[in-house]
Amino acid sequence: MSASSLSWDQALLQPPVCDAWKDTMEGAAYHLASCIVLLGYMGGSGIFGSLYIFGLLAPGYFCYALWGWLSACGLDIFIWNMLLVLACLLQLAHLAYRLRRNTIPEEFNLLYKTMYLPLQVPLDVYKEIVKCCEEQVQSLVRDQNYAVEGKTPIDRLSLLLSGRVRVSQDGQFLHYVFPYQFLDSPEWESLRPSEEGTFQVTLTAETDCSFITWPRKKLYLLLRKDRYIARLFSSHLGYDISEKLYSLNEKLFAKFGLHFDIRLPSLCPGRGVVSTSCPFLPWVCWSIALFCLLSQGIPGGGLKR
């Protein structure tokens, strides 16, 4: 055997024993580093636990490096601990990047908990939906028009986040739009992707409002690409339109005739007032809305990928 192997055997079988302990203790930097590292290893799991651990390990190893440079006078001790400090800082930067990437604005976080979390929609799918509207929240001041009948083109789909919007036609009140309802779901459903049109109603903010909007072409591309998101929007739009039909229940029966929602041209095209000779129109509308709900799925019942 070689001398090196013998020395290893001797080191394992007959380890060296300290002849005498030092009378002096190490400097304050060494003990401070040990305390910080001890606290650092008490962190929990998850991304915040990792931030805690590496946030304490970095200054702990830095104190060890100071001790190696100033007290122990060991270049190897200093270099190794500085490398550990660098590794901790790189890990902290990575964790901060992940945390920032997974964070969404408060308005979109509340929207997710209200509309999408009950349907068990994965967060990454919701981020695709939010990305389509560029994570921008737009606003309407009181008495400002979102759309004017006969003038505003149907080139987007918007969802109200806060406030209240009044819907009217020829100065006649139809219904309100409340938070987490679509502003223009009937217009969206009334046109095919290749068609163009204008609003047949006027939408006016009764209070200060905020909403998000998806450009029509960009949203169509997303729906064509992802069938799950397409089913999700179809479900929400069908439910939203049915809610608007119910809100127009009192408007359907009038003293001199039967009024229908001018925002649904596909049901009664080209007509403004239906005479009382057609008493079954309301039930036809309800039947169509119920069929849409049953075929697309009602929000709240779970829509899995």
Side-chain angles (χ1 to χ4, degrees):
M1 290 186 177
S2 63
S4 60
S5 62
L6 288 175
S7 62
W8 277 108
D9 292 340
Q10 291 176 357
L12 292 175
L13 298 176
Q14 298 178 355
V17 180
C18 295
D19 295 332
W21 294 96
K22 293 172 58 177
D23 295 333
T24 60
M25 299 184 66
E26 298 295 339
Y30 177 83
H31 297 288
L32 178 62
S34 300
C35 292
I36 295 177
V37 170
L38 177 63
L39 292 175
Y41 281 115
M42 292 182 179
S45 60
I47 188 169
F48 291 103
S50 299
L51 284 171
Y52 172 85
I53 291 174
F54 289 103
L56 285 177
L57 287 184
Y61 287 132
F62 182 73
C63 290
Y64 275 132
L66 290 179
W67 166 73
W69 182 266
L70 300 176
S71 299
C73 299
L75 184 60
D76 54 345
I77 298 176
F78 175 78
I79 293 177
W80 275 111
N81 282 281
M82 288 305 297
L83 288 175
L84 291 173
V85 170
L86 179 61
C88 291
L89 292 178
L90 291 176
Q91 186 66 25
L92 283 173
H94 174 68
L95 292 172
Y97 170 75
R98 284 180 52 194
L99 189 63
R100 178 177 177 84
R101 186 183 62 179
N102 294 333
T103 302
I104 56 179
E106 181 63 27
E107 296 88 350
F108 291 98
N109 186 38
L110 184 59
L111 174 62
Y112 176 73
K113 293 179 180 179
T114 304
M115 291 186 62
Y116 293 92
L117 186 59
L119 295 178
Q120 302 177 11
V121 177
L123 190 58
D124 57 342
V125 175
Y126 176 68
K127 289 179 181 179
E128 288 292 326
I129 298 174
V130 170
K131 183 179 178 181
C132 187
C133 68
E134 299 178 353
E135 296 187 12
Q136 292 184 357
V137 178
Q138 303 186 33
S139 60
L140 289 172
V141 298
R142 185 175 181 179
D143 296 329
Q144 181 181 356
N145 288 331
Y146 169 82
V148 178
E149 55 183 292
K151 296 181 179 180
T152 305
I154 305 173
D155 57 358
R156 54 181 173 170
L157 177 66
S158 300
L159 181 72
L160 188 65
L161 297 180
S162 64
R164 186 175 65 181
V165 174
R166 181 178 68 254
V167 181
S168 60
Q169 195 270 333
D170 289 334
Q172 181 183 3
F173 169 76
L174 294 179
H175 62 86
Y176 286 114
V177 178
F178 296 102
Y180 303 110
Q181 289 184 336
F182 289 97
L183 289 168
D184 38 18
S185 53
E187 285 77 14
W188 175 270
E189 292 292 341
S190 67
L191 294 180
R192 297 177 181 176
S194 59
E195 295 178 341
E196 296 182 358
T198 57
F199 279 79
Q200 300 181 36
V201 293
T202 298
L203 288 87
T204 307
E206 280 210 339
T207 62
D208 292 338
C209 303
S210 62
F211 65 96
I212 58 175
T213 185
W214 294 273
R216 188 177 184 85
K217 293 183 179 180
K218 194 172 182 179
L219 182 56
Y220 269 128
L221 291 176
L222 177 63
L223 299 182
R224 189 179 297 114
K225 181 181 69 173
D226 195 315
R227 184 176 298 180
Y228 175 73
I229 296 180
R231 294 200 308 267
L232 188 64
F233 267 87
S234 181
S235 174
H236 277 143
L237 288 169
Y239 181 79
D240 188 81
I241 292 175
S242 69
E243 286 292 309
K244 291 181 171 62
L245 285 174
Y246 277 110
S247 68
L248 285 167
N249 184 37
E250 296 181 358
K251 296 295 180 180
L252 288 173
F253 297 95
K255 184 177 181 180
F256 299 105
L258 196 60
H259 297 276
F260 68 95
D261 186 2
I262 194 67
R263 304 177 73 194
L264 299 172
S266 59
L267 295 180
C268 304
R271 302 175 65 181
V273 177
V274 182
S275 74
T276 54
S277 61
C278 183
F280 300 104
L281 180 60
W283 306 109
V284 173
C285 294
W286 303 135
S287 300
I288 293 175
L290 182 60
F291 175 77
C292 293
L293 287 175
L294 293 177
S295 61
Q296 301 296 341
I298 301 176
L303 187 65
K304 296 187 178 180
R305 198 169 179 80

